[in-house]
Each structure stands twice: as C-alpha cells, then as structure tokens.
Amino acid sequence: MFMQQSYVSNLRPNCLTLHKPCLHGIGSSSNQTCFKVGSSRPLLTKQKNESKFKRNQCNKIKAVAVSEEAVDKKTVKVKATVTVQPTLGGLFREVGARGYDDFKDLLGKSILLEFVSIELDPETNLEKKRIKGYVHLTHRSTKEIKYEADFDVPANFGEIGAVLVENEHKRETFMKEIVLDGFLTGPIKFACDSWVHSKFDNPQLRVFFSNKSYLPSETPEGLKRLREGELVTLRGNGRGERKIFERIYDYDVYNDLGNPDKDIHLKRPVLGGKEHPYPRRCRTGRPRCAKDPLSEQPSNKVYVPRDESFSEVKQVTFSANTLQSALHALVPVLRTSAVDKNLGFPVFSAIDDLFNEGFNLPPQQQHDFKTALPRLVKLVRDARNDILRFETPATMDKDRFFWFRDEEFGRQTIAGLNPCCIQLVTEWPLKSKLDPNVYGPAESAITTDIVEKQIRGFSTVEEAIKQKKLFVLDYYDFFLPLVEEVRKLEGTTLYGSRTLFYLNEDGTVRPLAIELARPPIGKKPLWRQVFIPSWHSTEVWLWRLAKAHVLAHDAGYHQLVSHWLRTHCCTEPYIIATNRQLSAMHPIYRLLLPHFRYTMEINALAREALINADGVIESSFTPKQLSILVSSIAYDKHWQFDLQALPNDLIHRGLAEKDPNAPHGLKLAIEDYPYANDGLVLWDAIKSWVTDYVNHYYNDDSRTVVSDKELQAWWKEIRTVGHGDKKDEPWWPNLKTNEDLIEIVTTIVWITSGHHAAVNFGQYTYAGYFPNRPAIARNNMPTEDPSDQELELFYDKPEVTLLKCFPSQIQAMTVMTVLDILSSHSPDEEYLGQTVEPAWEEEPMIKAAFEKFQGRLMELEGIVDERNADKSLRNRNGAGILPYELLKPTSEPGVTGKGVPYSISI
C-alpha cells in the first residue's frame, strides 16, 4: 500500500550524460525517470502538457510517495546495475594495467557511485550527504560487462538529480548506462554513453545529470553547485597541453596546418586574427615549432575532448580507420608509385580504365588500407599486385558522356554538388568591384551583342533581366587578385571567371558565355577573353577548355568554402561554446547535442592530412599552397551568420523573393531548383520542430530568453570569441526573443544537417569521374600568349590539350579516393529524425513534437520521389539524368548520393 501525493511536472525526469557520446550518441537508451528516493515514480497527469505556468508552479511541489514499509525502515533497497561497453583496450595499454584492473574487479572496488539529491539539507542548508558505494563485477562477455550492488537509500533523501562516478581501473571505461531498480514503477536509468577516465589520470569524479532539463533559473538548489562546477571543468584554465582523456573545450587559432620544422617551405600563415580572419578551432596546447614560434607542432593524434571522438564502432567499421588508412597509407603509396607526379592521362580511355581495369599498386607490400578500403582496393588472386579499381559513379553509370553536355553543365549549377553559388543578374553590364587601376576595366567583356546572339528569338538582354532569366556563376572578383600568386606555383594556373546562364522556358538553364581574365602581371597586360558555345570545332574545343577552368574554380570554391568553411569550420566554435556555456541540463544543449557528434574529430583529421601543408587539398586543387587562404578570404568577405539560413541565402542571391502566397513564403526565380525545392521543405520541417521545442521551455515573455544567463553567455561567446574576427559586424542576430532563438538554432541545425548533406554526400557521384569536375586546371588557355608548339598541338590534337589541362594521374586518383570516403555513410550513421534522444522522449510535449518532425521527414522522402518521377521537372528527370536525392533524409550505408545525418559526418 502506498500513500501518494502527486505533482505536475512539465520537466523530463530522465537521466542523460553530460557530454558527447562515443557509441551511438548520448542518452540513446534511457526511458526511465529520476525519482524521489524512497518513493515511487511521481504521477504524470494529463495536466503535464497544459501550460508553462503550471510547469513552473508545479516544479516547486515536492513528490511524496513513500511506502509504509519504507516509513518504518526509513530506507529503500535499491539495486544499481552499471553496464560497461568492452573496448579495444581504451587509450592505455600499459604492461600490467589489465592485470591490475582484473584484480580491482575481483576485490569489488573498481567503480564507485555517488548519488546526489536535488534538495539541500533543511537543517544546514547545504548539500545532502551523498550515498556512495562500489558496484561489483557480475557478468563479462564480448558485448557487455555488468557491475551490480545494493544500496540503502534513506526515504527522506529527495529526488536524485545526478550520479557521480569514480573509475578505479587504470584504464578508461566506456560506460553505457546506470540502472537503479527497486521501485514499483520499474527500473530508473541514467544513460551515460561516455568515457569515464581513470582516477589515476584525473581524481575528479565524473558527473552524469538526470534527463530532466532545467533552465538556469529553475535549477534545484542541490544541483546548482554541480551545474556551475561542471562548466568550469569543461572550460579548463587555458594552460598546458591537453591530454587525450580530458574533456576540456577551449579556443585557438589555426596555427597547426604547417610543419616548418620538417621543411621551411611547409610553413603556413596563422588563420585567425586581423590579417587572416577565421573561425576558431579547439585548443590542444601542443608545443610550438622551433623554426616558427607562431606554429604549433603537428601530431599524428590531435586532441579533441574525449567524447568528441568517433565511437569505436565507427572507428572499427568505417570512418576514422578508413580515412586515416587512405591518407596515411594509400596516398603515400600512390605518390611513390607514380613515375612522374605530373604525368597526365594520355587518352580518355586511360581514365575509363580506372573503373574497368584499375591501377596496379606496388607488389609485395603489406598495405594497411586493403581491409579499410574494400570498395576501392581489390585483391587479385592470380597476381601479386593489389589493384586500385574505382567504382563507377552513378552519374557516369547512367550516361557515360554526361560530363560532356552543356545542358548537364547548366543543370549541375542548381542540382549538383555546389548549387549554392549561382546568382541572379540584376544589373547590366556585369561589373567588377576591383580597382580598375590594378585589375583593368570594371565592365565585363561579355557584351550585350554576345548575349543576344545566344538568345536571339527569345528575348533581349533587357527583357531577360526584367524577366529574371539571366544568372551568373561569378568567381571574377574573388579569384582575380590571386591569379599572380597562384601562377608562381608549379603545375597550376588560375583566372578570374564569370559564367553566364539563361533560364529556358522549360525551366532548365543553359550556359551562354564564359569570361576568363588574367590581370596585368609584370610587363604582361590584362588578358581576357569570352568563350561561347559554337558549331565550329575550334570554338567548341576552346569552350570545353574554358568550362574545365570554370569547373576547377567551382570545385575549389565548393571544397574550401561551401563545404569546409561553411559547415565544418564555422560549426566548431558552436560546439565549443555549447559545451563551455550551456550545462548538460540546459534544454538547448540537449536540442543541439546530436547535431555536433563527431564533427570535431573529423575536423582534426582534416587538419592532419586534408587542409594541411602539402595535404590533399594543397597538392590537388587549383589554388595549391594558397588553398586555405582562399577559405579565409571567403570568410572575411562573404561569410555572414544570417545568410547561412537557407531562405536568407536564396533571397540574397536573387534566387527567391518573399511572397506570402507562395510555398514556404518564397517565390523562386527558378521554379525547378532541386536544391532549393527540397531544401525549403527540410528547412520548414526543422524550423517547426525547433519552434515547438523552444516554445515549450521558454515562456512567451521574452524576458525568459533575455534572463537565461547561460544562453546569453553562449551566444555572446560564439560571436565574440569563436567568431571573434567578426564580432563587430552589424548582421549578427540579437538574442532577445523566442523568435530570435528559433532562427539561430534552426540555422545551426540546417548547416550541420541539410546544407552539409547537400554539398558532401554527392562528391563521389559528381566528381568521381573527374573530367566532370576537375579539381585543378594545370595549363593556361591555348589562346593566352600561345607558343607555336602549343597552338600546333591544340589544332592537331585538341583532346590532348584538354587532357594536359586536367589533373595528373596521381592528383586524380588521390582526390577520387578521398571523395569516395567522404561521400560514404557509415553503418552506424545517425540520420536526421530517425532516433529520438532520451531527453526528448521523456517529455510528452517534446516527444509529440519530435514525432511530428519525423512525419514531416517521411513526407519529404515521398516528395523527393514524386518530384524525381515528374517528367516536367527537367532538372531532375530525363534520359541519363541522375535524380536529385541529396536532401532525401535517409539512406543505406555506403556511397548512395542521399541521406541527411544529424551532424557533419563523413
């Protein structure tokens, strides 16, 4: 028999880890409530969902539900079960460590638990004395290890709000969950899914808060000190080199991309600061280089806070192991295999052989990448060689000559890998904003006469602009100032470029003209030329060469700006600030948590071998050693937080205008714009979910947002520290109302999910056959200061001229290998809306909102299929045309060209 006093709560009583997960995400399994110790679970009535006022008022009412037996004994017998994930040895493999740990398990003194009450002692007004004890090993298998113990919990202890853990092993432990059993309502779970350090490395106890979310002003008195103390711990003191088991989040500039101690030519400028503005990365505290005190020494293992690392499942089955194998094993083998690193492909059939016959790797070598790259590296049993044979990209599989067609060139600007750079032409003639005294005339060489010859019979230029039919892919001002410096580098070249497109009546866009320009360099005057589609062979081949240069510009801008800068790089400060300023109990922390998983680890890998000095980007993309500076220039000149929101971005580029009567409130300039069409459905679904979530926890009164000290500190730190080089910009949104918070969070979620998916998971699909998107253009146009020999080759064998402009064999295979990996979904991928976080599931209003979100994502799946089957939508349907599925929410593992993960995942 129980005597009960029920109370109404609109706060979730689930238990969640404080930090990022290593397996399947934080809190992936807990469905149980926290409790008033010595009582049954508080009643949850239908009133729970009614109002914010009742939530706040009822929060003050104590839960009392004590059995008669408990009253007599004044204690409740609670069985604690701790589930630990077996690891591959953790971080520490010291001799004797396993024996010591087994001995501690035998003694039953390896994991210590302490329960923390949410209440203060009424007599002392201090925190109540914690209930503590060891759990003992009871089960061990290859899948899990269990520890158990019984605890006597006083009936007047109060609701448990946190569990503290001490790991007395010498090695770290991956803790899955803690279950407290002994209550009539069933077991109560604390989801952990996190590494717990050894006390020999750090004596500080690890804290796991319950899943009940609290705004700072609502924090129970018994948890206030822990809440504040954990944030202090996570911020660190900004000194010393970070140790791999630590969970400290701090900021630093990008000063670790070079390696001047190895070679002074590998010195790179510091990114971040007045000279080269840039977002901040996570501080590692490594020593500085001897030859350049501004540069941090490189390392094969870059520190990230422990729970930001890939799960062991992800490491073993796919991502980190695969990427590291490719970058640290396969790429060096490719480089040493090449007789001439500048050797190109002699004929187009040699490119096709990469997919049909493969490339022979050196024999009799133990390659670490054979098992890590099963898609690419084939073991031929009757030969002693390993064969690097590439999978045929889906685009090439549907149409072998897709890359050759002008209509496909136009289609990919709005439905390809980089559909977020095309702009509406609003003024004519096109004009540069660069100094004409340095870079030549401002007015474009693409004249009215040139354009009207292309669109004769359709409209004039004036009419085309008025009817919003002219669009431009404009890299003229962006790249022209870099041309001279890039041309000093071996094996590459660069132009400023403009590509003009016309919107046809059927909704497709066709290229009209390409302008390439070289600024005055030394005694050489300005050179620029306009190339157009033609029926004559000479002009046709010049047009194809000009397209190759534009595609190389677009490929570089895509990789360095649309992909790396806008998603990976700019998100890292959000992750750091969220962990430093928002408690794990904060509802916004819990909302953002799944959108940040694994991103810092991927970014660390990128700094090791992708964007570093002499890395894949520098060795294989047009800007070469200036590549990372390209992203800094783009950040300085073009990046704005408010324009990262999809609707704002479309409006800014002239691709949409506000219209309350149009779908999503926007009228698109190109109605069949697959990236925008699907993206806006996804944007609206995300915003609706975020709106429901935010409005549940914050009153309509804007003072709730303004008075949330953690939230205000979070947004301030993002602006003034994480993106401190832009702190004084006027476009930063204010954070004063629910609407402000909704827009900010929706933008962050869109960038980490939808935008990243659109520019990442189609990389191998569209660039795996590199003539479609060459990463580098190595030779100048044959009409720019031509030699007799170059002109003779061009007129005799124009195909060879194009092949010599394309990437070398080593460059092509390196990029293709990396793009295959980056485009792949891991077997344990976490797709947007697929799995509910435990903290969301326990709150009925949030769970209902999430289920509505799931429903909208399922609807998007059907919308994408329906659109791709619509023959009137010619940018996503037609003979040999690849359907647009990059924003289709779910996917199978592997390279699929679809699937939107929660976070920036490879």
Side-chain angles (χ1 to χ4, degrees):
M1 209 41 208
F2 277 80
M3 300 175 293
Q4 295 184 339
Q5 177 180 339
S6 67
Y7 79 106
V8 182
S9 171
N10 223 3
L11 295 176
R12 286 161 298 169
N14 194 340
C15 305
L16 186 66
T17 69
L18 177 60
H19 303 294
K20 296 281 192 296
C22 290
L23 282 171
H24 307 299
I26 280 182
S28 60
S29 60
S30 177
N31 286 322
Q32 301 301 321
T33 62
C34 293
F35 57 99
K36 180 83 170 179
V37 176
S39 72
S40 69
R41 182 177 180 175
L43 285 177
L44 302 176
T45 74
K46 64 180 180 180
Q47 293 172 293
K48 183 173 184 179
N49 305 329
E50 291 182 355
S51 71
K52 310 297 182 297
F53 175 77
K54 284 188 177 181
R55 174 173 69 85
N56 293 333
Q57 287 299 107
C58 295
N59 216 19
K60 302 174 183 177
I61 302 175
K62 293 183 179 180
V64 180
V66 184
S67 69
E68 293 177 358
E69 182 181 2
V71 171
D72 293 337
K73 295 185 178 181
K74 296 185 179 180
T75 61
V76 174
K77 184 74 70 175
V78 176
K79 180 180 180 180
T81 302
V82 177
T83 303
V84 170
Q85 176 75 40
T87 71
L88 300 178
L91 295 171
F92 308 103
R93 304 171 186 265
E94 301 93 338
V95 176
R98 177 62 187 269
Y100 177 88
D101 290 350
D102 288 346
F103 180 68
K104 293 292 287 186
D105 284 341
L106 185 64
L107 293 178
K109 291 189 175 183
S110 53
I111 296 178
L112 177 69
L113 303 183
E114 297 187 9
F115 301 150
V116 181
S117 172
I118 68 170
E119 300 175 0
L120 296 179
D121 189 313
E123 296 182 3
T124 64
N125 206 34
L126 300 174
E127 293 176 9
K128 289 187 177 181
K129 185 177 180 180
R130 298 168 186 167
I131 300 166
K132 61 178 68 176
Y134 288 98
V135 287
H136 316 292
L137 178 67
T138 58
H139 170 78
R140 184 191 295 273
S141 71
T142 57
K143 294 184 178 180
E144 65 179 16
I145 304 170
K146 287 189 178 293
Y147 297 82
E148 298 177 353
D150 291 331
F151 289 80
D152 291 324
V153 180
N156 63 350
F157 184 73
E159 182 179 337
I160 290 181
V163 175
L164 276 63
V165 179
E166 181 177 72
N167 173 22
E168 300 198 12
H169 292 117
K170 283 195 172 181
R171 294 176 296 177
E172 63 177 359
T173 296
F174 185 80
M175 193 165 289
K176 290 290 296 177
E177 65 176 359
I178 302 169
V179 179
L180 304 179
D181 200 0
F183 302 95
L184 293 181
T185 52
I188 301 168
K189 297 180 180 179
F190 289 72
C192 302
D193 280 329
S194 181
W195 294 101
V196 179
H197 57 261
S198 165
K199 77 169 188 178
F200 297 100
D201 295 306
N202 181 1
Q204 185 174 0
L205 301 184
R206 178 64 193 275
V207 180
F208 295 105
F209 290 107
S210 77
N211 265 13
K212 184 179 290 186
S213 294
Y214 297 101
L215 297 176
S217 59
E218 298 174 349
T219 310
E221 294 295 325
L223 299 180
K224 283 186 175 180
R225 188 181 65 84
L226 269 183
R227 179 173 187 147
E228 295 170 359
E230 268 299 284
L231 288 175
V232 170
T233 297
L234 290 168
R235 293 171 195 149
N237 59 15
R239 299 193 297 270
E241 183 173 0
R242 296 273 65 86
K243 298 177 177 61
I244 199 167
F245 60 82
E246 292 179 326
R247 296 160 42 246
I248 292 175
Y249 295 78
D250 202 356
Y251 299 94
D252 207 345
V253 294
Y254 279 71
N255 62 351
D256 63 339
L257 302 179
N259 191 358
D261 285 351
K262 179 179 179 180
D263 187 333
I264 196 62
H265 296 293
L266 297 179
K267 177 182 175 181
R268 293 295 179 267
V270 173
L271 302 185
K274 187 175 180 180
E275 186 175 359
H276 300 297
Y278 217 56
R280 299 303 190 259
R281 65 169 175 92
C282 185
R283 179 185 178 276
T284 67
R286 286 176 293 176
R288 300 301 178 90
C289 293
K291 294 183 179 179
D292 179 22
L294 295 178
S295 297
E296 192 173 85
Q297 290 180 6
S299 170
N300 291 330
K301 181 61 181 176
V302 178
Y303 166 82
V304 294
R306 187 63 182 106
D307 285 342
E308 300 295 339
S309 299
F310 286 146
S311 70
E312 289 201 334
V313 169
K314 188 176 280 286
Q315 288 176 336
V316 171
T317 61
F318 183 69
S319 301
N321 200 31
T322 306
L323 185 60
Q324 287 180 323
S325 294
L327 298 179
H328 298 297
L330 179 57
V331 170
V333 168
L334 286 174
R335 289 181 174 181
T336 57
S337 300
V339 177
D340 179 359
K341 67 177 183 178
N342 296 316
L343 181 65
F345 292 88
V347 290
F348 273 93
S349 60
I351 300 174
D352 295 344
D353 285 344
L354 294 176
F355 307 99
N356 301 324
E357 304 298 329
F359 176 81
N360 289 327
L361 297 173
Q364 298 179 340
Q365 291 192 22
Q366 294 297 318
H367 300 321
D368 296 332
F369 48 78
K370 284 194 293 187
T371 57
L373 298 170
R375 268 176 52 89
L376 303 182
V377 180
K378 316 291 184 182
L379 182 62
V380 181
R381 294 183 178 178
D382 58 353
R384 305 188 69 183
N385 286 7
D386 285 333
I387 305 297
L388 179 64
R389 185 165 63 222
F390 292 90
E391 296 287 334
T392 303
T395 42
M396 187 184 178
D397 191 47
K398 289 184 73 70
D399 180 358
R400 183 179 177 184
F401 302 105
F402 79 105
W403 67 279
F404 220 54
R405 296 185 287 110
D406 285 348
E407 54 267 36
E408 180 66 8
F409 174 45
R411 190 189 75 87
Q412 287 186 31
T413 61
I414 57 175
L417 189 54
N418 190 31
C420 44
C421 289
I422 188 171
Q423 304 173 60
L424 179 69
V425 175
T426 56
E427 296 181 355
W428 192 263
L430 300 173
K431 289 185 178 180
S432 169
K433 295 180 181 178
L434 298 174
D435 185 351
N437 295 320
V438 177
Y439 298 103
E443 192 169 300
S444 171
I446 302 176
T447 63
T448 300
D449 184 57
I450 290 174
V451 175
E452 291 188 345
K453 284 181 180 179
Q454 296 291 310
I455 60 174
R456 182 175 296 151
F458 291 95
S459 65
T460 65
V461 169
E462 184 179 356
E463 290 170 342
I465 292 176
K466 186 176 181 179
Q467 295 170 10
K468 297 185 177 180
K469 288 183 175 293
L470 282 185
F471 298 87
V472 65
L473 192 62
D474 193 348
Y475 295 126
Y476 193 91
D477 285 8
F478 187 79
F479 281 127
L480 199 63
L482 298 174
V483 168
E484 183 174 0
E485 290 302 311
V486 168
R487 289 193 172 199
K488 293 177 182 177
L489 306 174
E490 180 186 358
T492 188
T493 190
L494 185 62
Y495 294 100
S497 68
R498 294 187 182 100
T499 307
L500 196 66
F501 297 89
Y502 181 76
L503 178 61
N504 296 318
E505 292 299 321
D506 63 0
T508 60
V509 292
R510 63 184 173 103
L512 300 178
I514 292 173
E515 179 182 6
L516 299 180
R518 177 204 68 199
I521 299 177
K523 295 181 179 180
K524 292 183 178 181
L526 169 72
W527 176 90
R528 60 181 182 174
Q529 186 173 348
V530 176
F531 304 90
I532 59 174
S534 174
W535 295 102
H536 187 267
S537 62
T538 300
E539 281 71 31
V540 166
W541 277 103
L542 288 173
W543 169 252
R544 288 169 181 163
L545 283 161
K547 277 203 304 182
H549 283 276
V550 168
L551 288 166
H553 301 165
D554 193 60
Y557 193 90
H558 158 261
Q559 199 64 262
L560 292 163
V561 181
S562 301
H563 182 202
W564 164 253
L565 176 68
R566 290 184 64 180
T567 65
H568 291 264
C569 186
C570 286
T571 295
E572 187 149 339
Y574 309 150
I575 302 172
I576 298 171
T578 298
N579 284 276
R580 286 170 55 88
Q581 299 299 340
L582 297 182
S583 166
M585 291 189 285
H586 199 291
I588 300 303
Y589 175 94
R590 285 177 165 151
L591 176 59
L592 290 173
L593 182 64
H595 298 288
F596 293 155
R597 287 178 182 141
Y598 308 134
T599 300
M600 291 180 73
E601 174 87 345
I602 294 170
N603 290 0
L605 288 173
R607 300 202 306 275
E608 286 182 56
L610 287 176
I611 64 170
N612 63 312
D614 202 32
V616 171
I617 300 295
E618 281 198 2
S619 63
S620 304
F621 281 75
T622 285
K624 284 213 156 182
Q625 287 93 313
L626 299 179
S627 289
I628 201 63
L629 283 177
V630 166
S631 65
S632 174
I633 293 167
Y635 180 71
D636 183 30
K637 295 183 180 298
H638 302 309
W639 188 86
Q640 294 184 202
F641 179 85
D642 58 329
L643 296 183
Q644 306 313 298
L646 178 60
N648 294 348
D649 170 54
L650 294 172
I651 293 169
H652 177 72
R653 290 189 285 120
L655 271 296
E657 60 183 18
K658 291 183 179 180
D659 182 350
N661 298 318
H664 318 290
L666 292 177
K667 182 181 179 181
L668 294 177
I670 303 174
E671 292 184 8
D672 181 15
Y673 185 2
Y675 166 71
N677 297 136
D678 297 354
L680 286 170
V681 178
L682 181 56
W683 170 272
D684 281 357
I686 293 170
K687 188 168 186 178
S688 177
W689 153 239
V690 172
T691 298
D692 291 341
Y693 189 99
V694 167
N695 287 340
H696 178 72
Y697 285 103
Y698 289 90
N699 295 327
D700 295 333
D701 186 347
S702 63
R703 287 178 298 178
T704 309
V705 169
V706 172
S707 63
D708 186 333
K709 61 180 183 180
E710 287 184 3
L711 192 68
Q712 294 297 326
W714 167 76
W715 185 235
K716 179 180 179 181
E717 187 166 287
I718 286 173
R719 292 182 288 109
T720 63
V721 183
H723 286 276
D725 296 336
K726 295 230 169 203
K727 66 179 184 297
D728 298 322
E729 297 289 351
W731 39 254
W732 283 107
N734 293 315
L735 182 50
K736 295 182 178 179
T737 66
N738 285 22
E739 289 70 28
D740 296 335
L741 180 57
I742 290 165
E743 187 72 11
I744 289 167
V745 171
T746 302
T747 300
I748 292 174
V749 171
W750 160 254
I751 287 296
T752 58
S753 57
H755 178 79
H756 179 261
V759 299
N760 180 73
F761 291 106
Q763 290 192 86
Y764 191 76
T765 299
Y766 285 103
Y769 186 72
F770 68 86
N772 183 57
R773 289 184 67 80
I776 190 171
R778 296 190 294 159
N779 294 331
N780 296 338
M781 291 292 293
T783 53
E784 180 201 345
D785 304 329
S787 67
D788 293 340
Q789 184 179 2
E790 289 171 335
L791 279 178
E792 182 179 352
L793 176 63
F794 172 69
Y795 281 106
D796 187 40
K797 292 185 177 181
E799 175 185 332
V800 174
T801 300
L802 180 59
L803 286 167
K804 288 169 69 70
C805 185
F806 280 161
S808 68
Q809 293 187 29
I810 178 61
Q811 288 171 330
M813 287 188 289
T814 298
V815 172
M816 290 165 68
T817 300
V818 173
L819 294 188
D820 180 89
I821 297 166
L822 296 181
S823 302
S824 296
H825 288 294
S826 168
D828 69 339
E829 192 76 271
E830 299 171 27
Y831 296 102
L832 188 65
Q834 195 172 55
T835 305
V836 60
E837 293 288 298
W840 305 344
E841 188 174 31
E842 295 252 341
E843 183 63 63
M845 290 286 284
I846 299 301
K847 183 179 179 182
F850 182 77
E851 288 172 349
K852 183 175 74 172
F853 179 49
Q854 286 182 311
R856 296 189 69 167
L857 294 177
M858 290 178 64
E859 184 181 359
L860 176 56
E861 295 263 350
I863 289 172
V864 170
D865 289 339
E866 184 179 358
R867 287 173 173 171
N868 287 331
D870 188 343
K871 292 182 179 180
S872 69
L873 300 178
R874 298 198 168 202
N875 291 316
R876 56 199 307 161
N877 184 294
I881 288 179
L882 189 71
Y884 187 81
E885 296 185 312
L886 288 171
L887 291 172
K888 195 171 184 179
T890 58
S891 172
E892 306 79 38
V895 178
T896 64
K898 59 184 177 181
V900 181
Y902 269 109
S903 62
I904 297 170
S905 165
I906 61 174

